[in-house]
Amino acid sequence: MCTSLTTCEWKKVFYEKMEVAKPADSWELIIDPNLKPNELAPGWKQYLEQHASGRFHCTWCWHTWQSANVVILFHMYLDRAQRAGSVRMRVFKQLCYECGTARLDESSMLEENIENLVDNLITSLREQCYDEDGGQYRIHVASRPDSGPHRSEFCEACQEGIVHWKPSEKLLEEEATFSGASKSRAQEGSGYNFFSLRWCLFWASLCLLIVYLQFSFRRSSFF
């Protein structure tokens, strides 16, 4: 049974993608708000998503905010004999920094973000539970921190000792690639373009200056 729209979306996407990835096995996804990092029962594996993007909505003062540092914890187990697996999942919450209430608020995510995060989960699941090459993890522009410094005092994951707000190596590699591409585009467009906005403003200012000088000259001649 789904407890929220986001929970239903997570389960829907997970079951659809697992049916494609591992059609011979039966998998279930369980939301567990009490899941703890690095506390694993025998045979269980862990995957931690550290830079998910989500939107929070305070149920007390109605303040909303965007975060690119949402932490999602997964514990995974596969019973090879029964061909059945289980994933337990916890999305860490954040406190509202506007009203200062102690109420922890859940995040909501776009379907596109959930699909990408499930792809990462399945990649880790294939590597750890099936000993396969899961492929490449998805790193997204949306995961790049864009809302200023992370405020750890309002983050449930930080309060439980998960240091996640520093960019990961993969995020830094993506940032370098993104910056390099932007620099290349800037260099390509660094040639003189007389129809660019900067040049249009220059020619407009020059025309106004010429008109002003002509008017001043005629006026001085008249007197």
Side-chain angles (χ1 to χ4, degrees):
M1 179 178 179
C2 296
T3 57
S4 68
L5 183 61
T6 301
T7 299
C8 289
E9 192 63 39
W10 270 99
K11 292 193 174 193
K12 171 180 171 291
V13 174
F14 176 77
Y15 293 140
E16 288 178 353
K17 287 184 176 289
M18 284 306 299
E19 183 66 26
V20 175
K22 293 295 176 182
D25 295 341
S26 174
W27 281 86
E28 64 174 350
L29 177 65
I30 301 171
I31 308 299
D32 185 354
N34 298 314
L35 208 61
K36 298 292 183 182
N38 302 319
E39 294 185 8
L40 297 166
W44 284 75
K45 309 295 182 181
Q46 175 174 294
Y47 170 61
L48 185 67
E49 183 73 54
Q50 303 183 60
H51 299 289
S53 178
R55 177 170 292 275
F56 291 85
H57 176 81
C58 179
T59 54
W60 182 259
C61 71
W62 304 105
H63 172 64
T64 60
W65 67 97
Q66 183 79 19
S67 175
N69 292 288
V70 181
V71 176
I72 308 175
L73 176 64
F74 300 97
H75 285 180
M76 308 167 291
Y77 176 77
L78 172 63
D79 187 333
R80 293 180 179 270
Q82 299 294 326
R83 307 210 64 149
S86 177
V87 175
R88 307 188 78 87
M89 166 186 166
R90 176 185 178 185
V91 181
F92 286 85
K93 303 176 183 179
Q94 293 186 11
L95 291 168
C96 176
Y97 55 85
E98 284 290 331
C99 65
T101 180
R103 186 194 304 269
L104 286 162
D105 295 295
E106 296 181 353
S107 65
S108 60
M109 296 180 181
L110 298 174
E111 181 178 352
E112 179 183 359
N113 290 343
I114 292 176
E115 289 183 354
N116 293 333
L117 293 168
V118 169
D119 285 338
N120 281 351
L121 168 62
I122 294 177
T123 296
S124 178
L125 187 149
R126 293 173 68 116
E127 292 175 349
Q128 298 195 71
C129 296
Y130 289 95
D131 299 322
E132 298 176 354
D133 181 6
Q136 191 171 10
Y137 286 86
R138 293 195 174 191
I139 306 296
H140 316 287
V141 174
S143 301
R144 187 180 295 105
D146 56 1
S147 56
H150 181 61
R151 305 176 71 170
S152 59
E153 65 271 25
F154 297 103
C155 174
E156 184 182 31
C158 289
Q159 298 305 312
E160 295 201 14
I162 300 176
V163 181
H164 67 98
W165 56 269
K166 294 182 179 180
S168 64
E169 292 182 4
K170 291 182 179 179
L171 203 61
L172 290 173
E173 290 175 2
E174 183 216 7
E175 186 70 34
T177 303
F178 179 82
S179 300
S182 300
K183 186 177 180 181
S184 297
R185 288 193 296 268
Q187 289 175 347
E188 291 174 359
S190 61
Y192 291 105
N193 182 3
F194 292 98
F195 295 99
S196 65
L197 178 61
R198 181 179 299 178
W199 279 103
C200 287
L201 291 175
F202 170 76
W203 291 117
S205 301
L206 183 60
C207 291
L208 289 174
L209 178 60
I210 293 174
V211 172
Y212 173 77
L213 291 175
Q214 288 179 343
F215 177 78
S216 300
F217 178 75
R218 290 177 182 177
R219 187 177 180 184
S220 60
S221 299
F222 178 79
F223 288 105

